[in-house]
Amino acid sequence: MLPRVGIFVTEWSADVIIPLFRQEGFPVTAIWSRTAQIAKKIASNFSIPYFTSTLDELLLRKDVDVVFINCPPFFHAEIAVKALGIGKHVVCQLPAGLTTEDTEKMINAARYYPSLLSLIQHEARFLPAYIKMKELITSGYCGNLLLCDIRIHTGSLVTDHYNWLCNPKMGGGSLNLIGSSVIDLVSFLTESKATKVLGHFHTFLEHQGNIQGFRSITSDDFCTFQMLLDSGLRVHVTINTMLHGSYQELIIIGDQCRLIIRNDDLYGSKNDSGKEEIIYSSRQNQNGNTDCALSHDRRGFHVTAGFEFVKALKSAFETCKDNINGLVNYSCITRAATFEDGHYVRAVIDAIRESNTTREWNCVKFNVPQNGYELNP
């Protein structure tokens, strides 16, 4: 029997997240949202038996075994630390927290309760194209890695009304919401970490929709940054959220071959040849899942990746010999990002923000907590 899930959710993400868990057979027994009105609306739409706008009320429920955190990032650390302390498994949406102090508390709580699941949902790690790319890189297909170039073009990340998405200090912006996923993905693919970064981000559209007058958008709608990894690989990233539609491309160039992912399809090419061959097509893996048809826009990317992530999560619980006691078969989710991965991503983002101010290359200050447990968020 699969564990019961309680979800901390926003109104605009509920339509994606709740069906993903239910499609794989997870019972969703409770939801939280920031207002009682929104929580009641979501619960009614999905026939969920319990709803609340109080964090602790959901966390203390006995019919919740797994907590899925997909709410404003300034709540992430508080919920994760409390949930682990109560004995719940935790899956947290990116970014892990707003500060390195947040992520350090999350790491300490996870270490204090090692039998409990504590993951960051960097779901791109579970997309077949990226899994195949990682396998080819590890096998030496590209030779020595020289350059990684990533471009993401998508629509606005903010809604028509002012909320946390409009303010980077509350977790909004292209660097927080998309850049964090890119930073983690590069680390996952190359098994390397950034040591230095150079970055710039900017807010071009300060007003849109009903966000007018004295209130303005301060979250960045454009960012670009470079990373120097400890392996010597150089990475260049551009994220533009001012366009209609969506396009994403990741190119890794080695001294022998190059690999390219466009949207969800993987291509390979020898350096001495201009011809590309398709290595993996997302259309080959739809398997009747209608959500995959959405994968060529940004929302569809998260639906498809989220579907693969929840499948892996289901397998981790189902294949555990002691699943009656809520334990997990970790071999099914070895690709998943941990709280320590989230801490690393936070350190890189902080270094990029500092670089935007200094206009210089900045070192990434990444130290994993070694001792002590500070369980109060």
Side-chain angles (χ1 to χ4, degrees):
M1 181 178 177
L2 290 173
R4 299 158 295 183
V5 180
I7 303 179
F8 291 83
V9 71
T10 59
E11 186 175 15
W12 56 271
S13 62
D15 290 344
V16 172
I17 293 167
I18 295 171
L20 283 179
F21 277 96
R22 284 186 166 170
Q23 183 175 346
E24 290 303 306
F26 284 94
V28 179
T29 54
I31 62 107
W32 169 98
S33 200
R34 290 197 69 187
T35 69
Q37 182 180 6
I38 294 175
K40 181 178 180 180
K41 179 182 176 182
I42 295 170
S44 176
N45 290 344
F46 292 97
S47 300
I48 296 171
Y50 180 81
F51 65 89
T52 182
S53 58
T54 304
L55 298 178
D56 291 350
E57 286 183 2
L58 188 150
L59 290 172
L60 291 170
R61 289 191 65 83
K62 294 181 179 180
D63 61 352
V64 171
D65 307 304
V66 178
V67 169
F68 185 82
I69 306 170
N70 190 279
C71 57
F74 50 85
F75 286 123
H76 287 187
E78 178 185 357
I79 297 171
V81 172
K82 285 183 175 180
L84 289 168
I86 295 169
K88 316 286 188 185
H89 298 288
V90 174
V91 180
C92 182
Q93 181 60 273
L94 58 88
L98 294 182
T99 65
T100 52
E101 288 79 10
D102 281 348
T103 53
E104 285 174 359
K105 291 174 183 177
M106 293 170 69
I107 290 173
N108 284 332
R111 289 178 176 174
Y112 199 78
Y113 305 102
S115 64
L116 296 173
L117 206 63
S118 52
L119 303 177
I120 304 296
Q121 193 199 5
H122 285 291
E123 69 267 30
R125 291 172 172 236
F126 290 84
L127 280 174
Y130 293 101
I131 294 172
K132 185 63 177 177
M133 174 180 267
K134 180 179 175 66
E135 291 173 354
L136 290 170
I137 291 171
T138 304
S139 70
Y141 176 90
C142 295
N144 295 320
L145 301 185
L146 305 175
L147 175 68
C148 176
D149 186 29
I150 301 173
R151 289 176 289 168
I152 297 176
H153 297 167
T154 189
S156 175
L157 301 178
V158 303
T159 61
D160 288 338
H161 298 276
Y162 190 89
N163 56 26
W164 66 272
L165 291 166
C166 301
N167 190 330
K169 293 181 179 180
M170 299 175 73
S174 60
L175 180 57
N176 275 326
L177 297 177
I178 299 178
S180 57
S181 181
V182 170
I183 294 164
D184 176 79
L185 186 59
V186 170
S187 175
F188 169 70
L189 291 172
T190 65
E191 298 181 1
S192 302
K193 292 193 175 350
T195 57
K196 291 184 178 181
V197 296
L198 176 67
H200 171 71
F201 51 87
H202 190 76
T203 306
F204 286 96
L205 303 177
E206 296 182 355
H207 299 92
Q208 66 181 64
N210 294 319
I211 307 171
Q212 303 293 338
F214 71 94
R215 273 192 162 174
S216 62
I217 301 168
T218 55
S219 57
D220 46 283
D221 47 32
F222 173 85
C223 73
T224 182
F225 57 91
Q226 298 177 56
M227 298 188 293
L228 178 62
L229 306 190
D230 52 18
S231 62
L233 177 66
R234 292 183 179 271
V235 182
H236 181 262
V237 180
T238 300
I239 302 170
N240 183 347
T241 67
M242 297 184 290
L243 301 173
H244 295 291
S246 181
Y247 176 79
Q248 51 195 25
E249 182 177 63
L250 186 154
I251 305 172
I252 291 186
I253 301 173
D255 57 11
Q256 297 180 21
C257 297
R258 63 193 67 189
L259 290 167
I260 307 105
I261 290 181
R262 295 191 184 95
N263 294 318
D264 296 336
D265 299 327
L266 174 63
Y267 303 84
S269 174
K270 294 183 179 180
N271 287 350
D272 57 0
S273 170
K275 184 179 180 181
E276 292 181 358
E277 62 172 345
I278 187 160
I279 297 174
Y280 172 84
S281 171
S282 57
R283 294 167 182 81
Q284 298 170 353
N285 197 46
Q286 288 188 14
N287 296 327
N289 175 29
T290 55
D291 287 334
C292 290
L294 296 170
S295 62
H296 290 289
D297 60 35
R298 190 71 193 168
R299 179 177 180 274
F301 170 85
H302 287 293
V303 170
T304 309
F307 175 74
E308 297 295 338
F309 177 84
V310 175
K311 278 203 307 184
L313 197 62
K314 175 183 179 180
S315 180
F317 283 107
E318 281 190 333
T319 59
C320 182
K321 295 179 180 179
D322 194 16
N323 64 356
I324 294 175
N325 294 320
L327 300 182
V328 179
N329 180 1
Y330 284 94
S331 65
C332 296
I333 48 172
T334 54
R335 297 189 185 98
T338 65
F339 284 2
E340 290 189 3
D341 294 316
H343 182 56
Y344 159 71
V345 169
R346 184 75 259 168
V348 176
I349 289 176
D350 288 349
I352 293 170
R353 292 198 176 282
E354 186 177 351
S355 175
N356 183 66
T357 302
T358 63
R359 299 292 193 268
E360 297 177 345
W361 283 88
N362 275 5
C363 292
V364 177
K365 301 169 185 176
F366 173 59
N367 295 308
V368 177
Q370 299 297 323
N371 300 304
Y373 302 102
E374 186 180 349
L375 298 183
N376 294 320

